[in-house]
Amino acid sequence: MFTSSQNFTIAILVRGAEGSPPFADEYFCRQLCVESPRYGLRIIVIPIPSPFAEGSIIRGYTYHQKQWKAVRIPTIGLVMNRCLGPLSRNTRQQLEQYLPHASSLRQRSWSTALPGKWEVHRVLSKSNKLRGLLAPTSRVRPSIPWEIWLARWPKGLFFKPAAGTHGKNTFRLSMGDTPSVWIAEGRNTGNEHFNMTFHQATDVSSWLESHQAVQKLIVQPYLELSHLGRAFDIRALVQKNGQGHWTLTGCMVREGAEGSLTSNLHGGGHAYPADAYLTERYGKKQAASLLQQIRHSATLIPPLLESRFGRLAELGLDFGTDSGGRLWLIEVNSKPGRTSFAKSGDTRMHAQTYTQPLAYARYLLQQHVLADVSRPLKMPNSSSKAGLKRIPIPGGEGL
């Protein structure tokens, strides 16, 4: 049980935004506020200003009687950072003023953030059991040998930011129907679709180099992960529970809008239960096999990443399947969204996506395991011995 000397206020850090309330991710924050009393926790939401608009962090927001109220920030026991970009030094220093004496923001973090896609790929590729799930991946350097890559992978090259989200700034480069014609199509910074045609190889090189100069990129062969002409992927959400053990909350398919190269819902896609969607495409037996492969991968990936990067609380594992039914791991997200699970039709699974973070937060505070994540190998529950609790994927038979 809790004692009066313990502090059980959890701060959720989210990006500041115009409007009321003045922050992003309002639904996520509201759900945690509503559920938090069941776990003996108090939630305070702290909007984080952009690095270009530094300001004093003195107020947060709580949800009470169906409305958001501004309050002074109390002492914080645990920090849940939902900001997609890194916090500025000034922001970190201000936040640490609200932590218990001699605590650092790293020590009081509910979960660390994963680095870029390249670093994660390198760690996963060292596992013999996971290497076969990974597409060949290279960092894009200033001198880009795209013609050599395209000769090796004639279906096209897929470029994406090393630290991007929501499908923004992703694009495919492919050969046109006639010689010396190349086509680039994808989504820009505003997540709007674009399509460009080049007739000179030098123009392709210049265009790619201009992208690389603004944002670090990685490149992979273009994989045809689509169904009836629509790109799709499978989001598996793995979360730690109230005992500090990894659990598979569920799997959902995210299908992109018509003509989109990506399946991200922010680009106008739709979500469907994984078992029904995969069964329609591959048949019952192969769909069950794919879900079993996902479950097995979900037991391997979290402890491997924790052993390298430190304590993690939840991960979004994004898989794709090609026309032959081969499973690919597309990427891993340490700050996963939950939009697809809201459309699952399974209220219990959807509720778990919000209650599991609270249960794990309570576990951390009760067990006094807020160790320094700068030494990940010493972290509790960062080995496979912590286990992955067997939770059936809704609709999956015997998984």
Side-chain angles (χ1 to χ4, degrees):
M1 297 297 292
F2 297 148
T3 66
S4 59
S5 63
Q6 291 175 310
N7 186 289
F8 299 107
T9 296
I10 300 178
I12 305 178
L13 310 183
V14 291
R15 177 176 54 84
E18 297 293 331
S20 180
F23 53 82
D25 223 359
E26 188 273 343
Y27 182 78
F28 173 83
C29 296
R30 174 158 41 96
Q31 289 297 108
L32 263 63
C33 285
V34 170
E35 297 289 343
S36 61
R38 294 172 49 198
Y39 297 87
L41 304 172
R42 181 193 182 197
I43 301 292
I44 184 168
V45 181
I46 302 180
I48 303 300
S50 73
F52 308 104
E54 292 282 13
S56 297
I57 300 175
I58 58 174
R59 294 188 185 277
Y61 292 82
T62 60
Y63 191 75
H64 182 64
Q65 295 181 345
K66 297 185 178 181
Q67 61 180 332
W68 290 101
K69 296 182 178 180
V71 296
R72 284 192 171 275
I73 300 174
T75 300
I76 298 168
L78 200 61
V79 177
M80 182 184 297
N81 183 5
R82 292 288 297 177
C83 297
L84 296 179
L87 300 177
S88 70
R89 181 179 180 182
N90 179 51
T91 295
R92 295 195 305 270
Q93 290 175 340
Q94 289 190 64
L95 290 169
E96 288 184 345
Q97 297 176 9
Y98 300 105
L99 301 180
H101 179 67
S103 292
S104 71
L105 199 58
R106 290 177 63 84
Q107 289 172 320
R108 290 282 164 172
S109 290
W110 171 76
S111 177
T112 190
L114 290 176
K117 296 180 179 67
W118 172 247
E119 289 82 359
V120 172
H121 174 84
R122 288 188 65 190
V123 171
L124 297 179
S125 63
K126 293 178 181 178
S127 168
N128 292 332
K129 295 180 179 179
L130 293 172
R131 194 175 297 128
L133 286 175
L134 308 176
T137 303
S138 297
R139 281 191 295 181
V140 178
R141 300 184 183 277
S143 180
I144 306 173
W146 62 271
E147 291 177 280
I148 296 175
W149 289 339
L150 202 52
R152 186 185 309 164
W153 301 316
K155 289 186 178 180
L157 308 175
F158 192 70
F159 292 82
K160 53 187 175 182
T165 59
H166 299 161
K168 297 177 182 178
N169 292 324
T170 60
F171 58 93
R172 176 192 183 188
L173 177 66
S174 59
M175 294 179 285
D177 295 332
T178 57
S180 299
V181 174
W182 299 273
I183 299 171
E185 56 178 329
R187 291 189 173 275
N188 60 20
T189 303
N191 222 344
E192 300 168 324
H193 183 263
F194 73 84
N195 190 304
M196 300 177 65
T197 301
F198 301 92
H199 297 278
Q200 298 289 335
T202 54
D203 291 340
V204 177
S205 296
S206 297
W207 186 77
L208 289 175
E209 289 168 7
S210 68
H211 274 267
Q212 171 65 7
V214 174
Q215 192 171 35
K216 292 181 179 179
L217 300 171
I218 62 172
V219 63
Q220 299 172 329
Y222 177 73
L223 303 173
E224 293 183 311
L225 311 177
S226 62
H227 178 49
L228 299 178
R230 291 176 180 262
F232 79 95
D233 67 13
I234 307 155
R235 162 60 61 86
L237 181 63
V238 288
Q239 299 175 298
K240 280 185 177 172
N241 62 15
Q243 290 76 48
H245 295 171
W246 285 104
T247 66
L248 176 58
T249 301
C251 297
M252 291 293 295
V253 163
R254 302 179 300 179
E255 184 184 72
E258 186 174 0
S260 175
L261 289 175
T262 62
S263 57
N264 200 283
L265 301 183
H266 289 81
H270 301 279
Y272 304 93
D275 60 302
Y277 191 99
L278 295 175
T279 298
E280 178 184 340
R281 184 177 189 196
Y282 298 107
K284 189 174 182 179
K285 183 177 180 180
Q286 192 167 4
S289 175
L290 287 168
L291 290 172
Q292 184 60 43
Q293 291 178 61
I294 290 172
R295 171 172 291 284
H296 179 63
S297 301
T299 67
L300 302 174
I301 295 170
L304 179 58
L305 294 180
E306 279 197 310
S307 70
R308 176 61 181 86
F309 301 117
R311 181 173 62 239
L312 295 164
E314 63 180 8
L315 294 170
L317 311 179
D318 295 340
F319 297 89
T321 57
D322 59 25
S323 57
R326 179 174 176 177
L327 188 71
W328 299 92
L329 178 65
I330 301 172
E331 65 181 57
V332 181
N333 190 335
S334 58
K335 297 177 182 178
R338 290 154 170 76
T339 304
S340 59
F341 292 90
K343 302 178 181 181
S344 67
D346 187 326
T347 55
R348 180 179 176 275
M349 181 173 68
H350 182 221
Q352 276 191 318
T353 68
Y354 296 98
T355 58
Q356 293 277 51
L358 295 170
Y360 181 55
R362 174 169 172 153
Y363 165 81
L364 287 176
L365 291 163
Q366 279 184 307
Q367 301 298 320
H368 303 284
V369 292
L370 296 176
D372 194 331
V373 295
S374 65
R375 294 187 291 177
L377 292 178
K378 302 293 185 181
M379 294 305 300
N381 306 311
S382 62
S383 73
S384 59
K385 293 180 181 179
L388 182 69
K389 184 179 178 182
R390 188 179 180 84
I391 294 182
I393 299 171
E397 294 189 4
L399 297 182

